[in-house]
Amino acid sequence: TKTLSKCYVQVTGMTCASCVANIERNLRREDGIHSILVALMAGKAEVRYNPAVIHPSAIAELIRELGFGATVMENCGEGDGILELVVRGMTCASCVHKIESTLMKTNGVLYCSVALATNKAHIKYDPEIIGPRDVIQVIKDLGFTPSLVRKDRSASHLDHKQEIRQWKRSFVVSLVFCIPVMGLMIYMMVMDSQLSEAHAHHNMSNEEMEALHSSMVLEYQFLPGLSVMNFLSFLLCVPVQMFGGWHFYIQAYKALKHKTANMDVLIVLATSIAFVYSFVILLVAMAEKAKVNPVTFFDTPPMLFVFISLGRWLEHVAKGKTSEALARLISLQATEATIVTLGPDNVLLSEEQVDVELVQRGDIVKVIPGGKFPVDGHVIEGHSMVDESLITGEAMPVTKKPGNTVIAGSINQNGSLLISATHVGADTTLSQIVKLVEEAQTSKAPIQQFADKLSGYFVPSIVAVSVVTLFAWIIIGFVDFEIVEKYFLGYNKSISAAEVIIRFAFQASITVLCIACPCSLGLA
């Protein structure tokens, strides 16, 4: 076996267990190939071969002839096992050196590092030669007590319940206050259009128009300069700004602290400016005892917050769904395994319960009826029916006899089986599926990364555009006042020209800010 080499081949196009069996069966017949192990989910084959007889490229070619895609993987370190241990009983640097030097002399250990401060040992080993139990035994023989670093088997880090709750609350609060604001707005629009029609038919003077306008209930001023409409809008807007927008304010603050501008910053900017501007304009109107009600933006923040918090809420619900599926997958993993020692003629000599992380390749594992398979492997002895529905979706139990493969996480039904472990730890089909789903959740789609990058430039540029709008209109107003006068609603001679210009400029720039917020890019 000294002359044997090992290589890894990336295999594409495998769809099910029969593909795996097909590759393994055909390659074992070839000269120079000592053994082959194919992992379906990881899409790779581990081949032990005699370099004097065959080359890795030829092995890949053999797999290609069977109709699969195959490329030799250059970095062969992928098959190394990694072990994290907590070692108790170390007192000084010489203990550390003792453990490290002994392990490095052990055949099959490729790398070892022990940290005295954290009591942790990090070990890389070749699973063909040595396994985690052997490593632990070596450390025990030196007089220390090693134990596995407990992996968090629950998927608590994937729980989105809290976020779902907070965005739902945010959405509901905004919605409750948004509906009346929208009602008021639509009512005003309808009344306005009726008025303009009346104006078109009966050529009324402006004074009569104003009289009609102020006779509308909502336009009625119960305090000088403060109409019912504006007062109601203000009352409805305050709780939204406080409670509906709370999470946006927090996230915007965090983003600004790190000197970045995300969508939250833009939302907070737009809603705050709209709110503050409207509030100030109301105060000014009340101070001036203005006859004409000022144009306010109190309807903007509630509607923006409704759309955006709805988007966030849906996003977290969707994330929560995949996380739930993942949590269920993780819970399918067995936590312990029964390892047996066989004598001649497969006589059971001894058996022991070990943590599933400690099962090594080539171990003989006993699975009793009703038990879960802790690792992937081949059946050596026994006949049984196995429920593999978690992996294959096959509702009917599958018959297993010596030579058949079994999948970790599936459930043994009626007979006791002895299996030989082929894929253990992170290499089992179930672990690979969990890993794939986790990666899919944490990685962003390329278009999403692009959108994030864009929104980094998008926010500052929108702010810049709205500032330009503000100053442009101020300049235009002072150069040619008639343009502003034409577009400014409710202009009357009681307000000074300068104030009209400033107000109009603010309205234009706030409009730019608010329109940019619920843009499809931000919502998506």
Side-chain angles (χ1 to χ4, degrees), residues 181-439:
V181 170
M182 276 180 73
L184 290 174
M185 213 172 75
I186 292 165
Y187 177 71
M188 288 294 288
M189 282 176 177
V190 173
M191 292 313 261
D192 272 355
S193 65
Q194 282 180 359
L195 275 175
S196 48
E197 272 173 31
H199 193 207
H201 289 305
H202 322 282
N203 302 322
M204 290 190 214
S205 66
N206 277 353
E207 284 75 26
E208 286 177 280
M209 265 299 279
E210 270 173 32
L212 221 168
H213 224 279
S214 58
S215 68
M216 286 167 55
V217 185
L218 289 176
E219 289 290 338
Y220 172 69
Q221 296 191 345
F222 63 89
L223 284 173
L226 180 62
S227 67
V228 177
M229 168 78 182
N230 278 339
F231 183 64
L232 284 178
S233 303
F234 170 71
L235 284 185
L236 291 167
C237 190
V238 172
V240 176
Q241 203 68 21
M242 304 280 284
F243 303 109
W246 180 245
H247 302 298
F248 291 104
Y249 277 99
I250 293 173
Q251 287 182 303
Y253 170 68
K254 284 179 184 163
L256 286 173
K257 219 165 69 174
H258 295 300
K259 296 188 176 55
T260 59
N262 57 7
M263 288 311 288
D264 294 315
V265 174
L266 189 59
I267 293 158
V268 164
L269 253 181
T271 51
S272 307
I273 293 176
F275 180 75
V276 172
Y277 167 79
S278 308
F279 184 55
V280 170
I281 279 289
L282 269 192
L283 293 181
V284 171
M286 284 168 73
E288 287 180 346
K289 302 191 171 20
K291 293 280 177 289
V292 177
N293 295 308
V295 177
T296 56
F297 287 99
F298 287 128
D299 52 349
T300 307
M303 294 178 77
L304 274 186
F305 282 139
V306 162
F307 286 124
I308 291 163
S309 51
L310 174 65
R312 298 279 167 96
W313 176 34
L314 292 177
E315 179 191 350
H316 282 289
V317 167
K319 277 186 185 166
K321 288 263 194 314
T322 42
S323 308
E324 226 170 87
L326 191 51
R328 285 211 200 103
L329 264 181
I330 293 176
S331 69
L332 288 170
Q333 295 174 333
T335 50
E336 292 203 316
T338 309
I339 293 180
V340 297
T341 320
L342 294 182
D345 299 333
N346 284 358
V347 180
L348 277 188
L349 296 180
S350 67
E351 56 180 73
E352 60 167 331
Q353 287 276 61
V354 298
D355 195 294
V356 75
E357 315 269 326
L358 293 178
V359 179
Q360 300 171 184
R361 193 187 286 183
D363 277 344
I364 311 294
V365 180
K366 176 180 166 190
V367 184
I368 55 170
K372 276 183 189 168
F373 289 94
V375 290
D376 295 2
H378 294 295
V379 179
I380 300 176
E381 192 179 283
H383 288 262
S384 182
M385 304 294 277
V386 174
D387 174 10
E388 289 185 347
S389 58
L390 85 141
I391 303 284
T392 59
E394 173 68 67
M396 300 297 289
V398 186
T399 314
K400 295 290 177 191
K401 51 186 193 292
N404 290 147
T405 51
V406 290
I407 306 169
S410 51
I411 296 162
N412 184 16
Q413 292 195 333
N414 46 18
S416 186
L417 293 177
L418 290 182
I419 63 164
S420 166
T422 54
H423 296 94
V424 297
D427 293 332
T428 63
T429 309
L430 191 58
S431 301
Q432 291 288 335
I433 294 176
V434 169
K435 187 172 142 211
L436 283 174
V437 178
E438 268 184 337
E439 277 172 10

Side-chain angles (χ1 to χ4, degrees), residues 466-506:
S466 90
V467 170
V468 169
T469 310
L470 178 72
F471 287 113
W473 275 111
I474 291 176
I475 293 164
I476 291 170
F478 282 116
V479 172
D480 185 355
F481 181 64
E482 280 172 11
I483 298 177
V484 175
E485 193 179 5
K486 195 168 96 186
Y487 290 113
F488 187 72
L489 295 172
Y491 169 64
N492 66 348
K493 302 288 182 289
S494 69
I495 320 175
S496 70
E499 193 184 318
V500 171
I501 294 168
I502 300 280
R503 275 197 194 183
F504 184 72
F506 261 104

Side-chain angles (χ1 to χ4, degrees), residues 129-147:
I129 305 171
I130 196 170
R133 286 206 313 287
D134 309 328
V135 173
I136 286 178
Q137 197 50 54
V138 169
I139 300 174
K140 270 190 186 152
D141 293 344
L142 293 172
F144 302 101
T145 49
S147 60

